[in-house]
Amino acid sequence: MRSSLRGAGAVAAATALVVVVAGSWFGYQQLAGPSCSGRIQLSVAAVPEIAPAVKAAADQWVKDGAAVGDTCVAVNVAAAEPVDVAAAVASKHGATLAGVGQASGTAVTPDIWVPDSSTWLVRLKSGGATALAATTGTSIARSPVVVAMPEPVAARIGWPDKKLTWRDLLAQVNSSKALRAGIVEPTQDAAGLSGLLSLSAAAGATGGAGSAQAQEATIGALRALATNRSSLRQDLLARFPRSSDPTTIANGLGAAALSEEDVIAYNSTKPPIPLAALYLEPAPMPLDYPFAVLPGIEPAKASAAKVLFDVLKTPSFRDRLAAQSLRGPDGNWGDGFQAPRGAPAPAVGGSSAPPTGQGAAELDPNAIQKATSTWSVATQSGRMLAVIDVSGSMKEKVAAANGATRLQVTVAAATQGLQLFDDSWSIGLWTFSTNLNGSQDYREVVPIKPLSSNRNSLRQGLASIKPSSGNTGLYDTVLAAYRKVQEDWEPGKVNSIVLFTDGKNDDDNGISQKDLLAQLKKLRDPEQPIQVIIIGIGTGVSQAELEPITAITGGRPFITADPTKIGEIFLQAIALRPPAPR
């Protein structure tokens, strides 16, 4: 069963990423001989369940005289959770991943990374790691993503004889006698993300894609999962019933998206209530274990990595995978693999995997980003002041939005996004231009209050927004909004300002950018952080103007030339959380 290196184990996770570890030098020296004109040390970080197989194959290769030409090769394989390596890679390449946070200050990125899923590579690229653009990673193993259920619960819905779908599961989750479904935090766990994508797709098709019914079903499913979510896989597994008593089964966890390997490992401990592995249709993204050579390594190491990859394609490696309850990359398994009851035959199972070598290329980065962003918004609490530009330029019509104005498109996106926030959020609403309220550039429409009492006021406030004929009093408004949010700063929540604008600061009577930055630096309190996020709409926005403002507060600007994308950008912006140390 996979180990968990998060939380209290962060130090261990960081240590696993340090390239030079005890034993590496010994292996290095073992290669020293008259036939070696040089030596290469390869560092490999592999997800814990596959690390023993990779290490055994690499050790055998070294023992047999691993070399590239007359240069000898030593390999250090360390077990590391994908979220920890992803944090280190993101930090190195300036990427932002929702829900991942910062890497440990001692973490070092490896030469080769074997995470459990190509979704990590896709998310890093989408998050800004442009150096990874050519890094796809070829699959070296596979484990289907299944829905794990206690066998008595699975039997009640037709397992193992009935072919079940994700819509069947959705009906169970959203029924009056709801199945207690849980999930490992999908922003930190690839199997959880795969399950979330499949369940969201099933919900999104309810009543027609994009309909109010579909959105209601999606939000209901997300919040049902969030009730029993965990950042640690071991914690989630511990919630499954440990007794055959009917009350215990009824009160225990009833379903969770996990890997086939997770279920096999759990059942190998002989629990009182074994887990059934349900292979729902349509098949979700499997874990595909890409072999990713990270950018920036020297050519000699890259050559050695190619040879190591060839070692991991052999039949003997498939048997090593079987010992770890993993399949080969095509879905077939090696000697000794014990498939769960109801598992598809290898030929069928292989058909649901991405083509070998094309895992990352086949995935939809927009779907992944939308799923992680929507999850973050729907399941995490916060306190936010939304500030909307109503200057004259917001009257400009958007051809791609059937002639709606920029302001109308923005208000529609904010109104739709409001449905995702639960009642634990506190949200307020301002508008701004120039001289909007006497000589003041901004106006409070709705004060910041909990949505439990404020939701209707916000809907009405958004519906009442009209454009003005003024200019863009950006700097004065940002400063006033920061002070307002700081007044009643709330602990335990992300306190933030999300400002929508389509232009640069244009206020002859306002403060300068230099004055704004100086005052924000004075006001900023590390013990009470306030994140400023600015969403720029259209081509008149200057990223160079916005970045210094958001950088001071730990936020960032999001700019889209196409106003119809504002809804997607809004989700991404709200999902941005202040990084927490790992």
Side-chain angles (χ1 to χ4, degrees):
M1 191 174 295
R2 302 178 187 182
S3 62
S4 178
L5 301 181
R6 303 188 189 95
V11 174
T15 303
L17 296 178
V18 176
V19 175
V20 181
V21 296
S24 297
W25 180 245
F26 173 77
Y28 214 52
Q29 289 209 327
Q30 289 295 97
L31 294 173
S35 61
C36 292
S37 63
R39 298 170 185 82
I40 297 170
Q41 175 79 34
L42 274 182
S43 63
V44 181
V47 67
E49 67 266 27
I50 201 174
V54 175
K55 185 177 188 307
D59 288 349
Q60 186 62 51
W61 180 43
V62 171
K63 183 178 178 181
D64 292 343
V68 176
D70 58 359
T71 302
C72 293
V73 181
V75 184
N76 174 57
V77 179
E81 289 288 345
V83 66
D84 295 308
V85 185
V89 175
S91 177
K92 180 177 180 179
H93 295 287
T96 302
L97 299 184
V100 169
Q102 285 184 318
S104 162
T106 59
V108 179
T109 57
D111 300 319
I112 299 165
W113 181 26
V114 184
D116 52 1
S117 172
S118 293
T119 56
W120 289 109
L121 300 175
V122 172
R123 290 179 64 195
L124 281 163
K125 293 173 192 176
S126 297
T130 54
L132 271 69
T135 304
T136 54
T138 302
S139 174
I140 60 170
R142 178 173 175 251
S143 190
V145 171
V146 302
V147 172
M149 283 188 183
E151 286 190 353
V153 177
R156 287 201 295 268
I157 64 172
W159 172 86
D161 300 321
K162 182 181 178 182
K163 179 62 71 174
L164 296 163
T165 69
W166 285 94
R167 294 194 72 169
D168 293 329
L169 179 64
L170 180 66
Q172 292 288 328
V173 169
N174 286 340
S175 71
S176 57
K177 295 182 179 179
L179 176 72
R180 289 190 64 196
I183 194 169
V184 185
E185 194 71 39
T187 58
Q188 300 180 7
D189 183 87
L193 175 58
S194 178
L196 176 66
L197 286 165
S198 291
L199 196 63
S200 296
T206 303
S211 68
Q213 186 179 355
Q215 185 171 32
E216 184 179 342
T218 300
I219 295 169
L222 294 183
R223 292 190 177 144
L225 291 175
T227 301
N228 295 295
R229 74 184 185 271
S230 176
S231 60
L232 302 177
R233 191 177 298 106
Q234 297 287 16
D235 286 351
L236 190 76
L237 288 165
R239 297 178 193 174
F240 283 112
R242 304 292 295 180
S243 165
S244 57
D245 174 68
T247 302
T248 302
I249 294 174
N251 292 332
L253 187 65
L258 295 167
S259 73
E260 180 183 71
E261 180 270 333
D262 284 325
V263 174
I264 296 172
Y266 181 88
N267 288 342
S268 71
T269 66
K270 306 298 182 185
I273 303 294
L275 292 179
L278 277 62
Y279 296 79
L280 301 188
E281 296 291 341
M285 293 186 304
L287 302 187
D288 64 332
Y289 300 91
F291 182 92
V293 180
L294 296 182
I297 71 170
E298 57 197 72
K301 284 189 175 184
S303 297
K306 288 180 182 178
V307 182
L308 175 59
F309 173 68
D310 289 337
V311 171
L312 303 181
K313 292 193 297 183
T314 60
S316 62
F317 183 67
R318 188 183 295 267
D319 293 340
R320 296 187 195 277
L321 291 174
Q324 301 301 126
S325 302
L326 294 169
R327 303 177 183 222
D330 58 359
N332 290 284
W333 51 66
D335 292 342
F337 184 87
Q338 298 293 321
R341 185 181 178 190
V348 176
S351 66
S352 64
T356 301
Q358 297 298 314
E362 294 290 319
L363 298 173
D364 181 355
N366 292 326
I368 292 170
Q369 187 172 67
K370 183 177 180 180
T372 54
S373 297
T374 303
W375 171 264
S376 295
V377 172
T379 62
Q380 297 184 33
S381 182
R383 179 172 176 269
M384 179 180 73
L385 177 59
V387 184
I388 297 179
D389 185 350
V390 293
S391 61
S393 57
M394 291 290 281
K395 298 176 185 176
E396 184 175 321
K397 292 187 176 182
V398 179
N402 296 319
T405 65
R406 288 178 176 177
L407 182 58
Q408 288 171 328
V409 170
T410 302
V411 168
T415 302
Q416 186 172 22
L418 181 62
Q419 299 177 57
L420 289 174
F421 301 106
D422 67 20
D423 285 349
S424 67
W425 277 76
S426 294
I427 299 179
L429 176 65
W430 283 14
T431 56
F432 80 100
S433 178
T434 51
N435 303 318
L436 195 60
N437 188 16
S439 61
Q440 188 174 277
D441 293 338
Y442 48 89
R443 174 185 291 139
E444 181 180 83
V445 181
V446 181
I448 304 173
K449 291 183 179 178
L451 280 180
S452 55
S453 61
N454 209 29
R455 193 179 294 273
N456 286 335
S457 296
L458 278 165
R459 288 196 186 103
Q460 294 168 6
L462 285 164
S464 72
I465 292 177
K466 305 294 181 187
S468 74
S469 299
N471 294 321
T472 307
L474 177 64
Y475 298 156
D476 283 353
T477 300
V478 169
L479 183 59
Y482 195 93
R483 286 173 170 156
K484 184 63 179 178
V485 173
Q486 194 173 52
E487 279 179 14
D488 299 305
W489 189 92
E490 190 171 346
K493 291 185 176 181
V494 177
N495 290 252
S496 62
I497 298 160
V498 178
L499 184 145
F500 301 82
T501 185
D502 72 340
K504 304 173 185 177
N505 184 72
D506 185 13
D507 182 7
D508 294 337
N509 300 315
I511 61 173
S512 67
Q513 186 192 55
K514 182 179 178 181
D515 288 339
L516 170 63
L517 298 179
Q519 292 199 52
L520 286 177
K521 286 177 181 177
K522 287 180 182 178
L523 290 169
R524 183 181 57 189
D525 180 355
E527 298 299 317
Q528 295 188 349
I530 297 169
Q531 191 178 47
V532 177
I533 297 168
I534 301 179
I535 300 177
I537 309 162
T539 57
V541 182
S542 168
Q543 183 151 342
E545 178 188 34
L546 303 182
E547 278 183 341
I549 301 169
T550 57
I552 289 176
T553 66
R556 59 173 281 198
F558 291 79
I559 296 176
T560 175
D562 181 0
T564 63
K565 301 293 185 184
I566 192 67
E568 297 172 23
I569 298 295
F570 183 42
L571 277 180
Q572 293 175 39
I574 302 303
L576 182 66
R577 288 288 183 269
R582 297 196 66 78

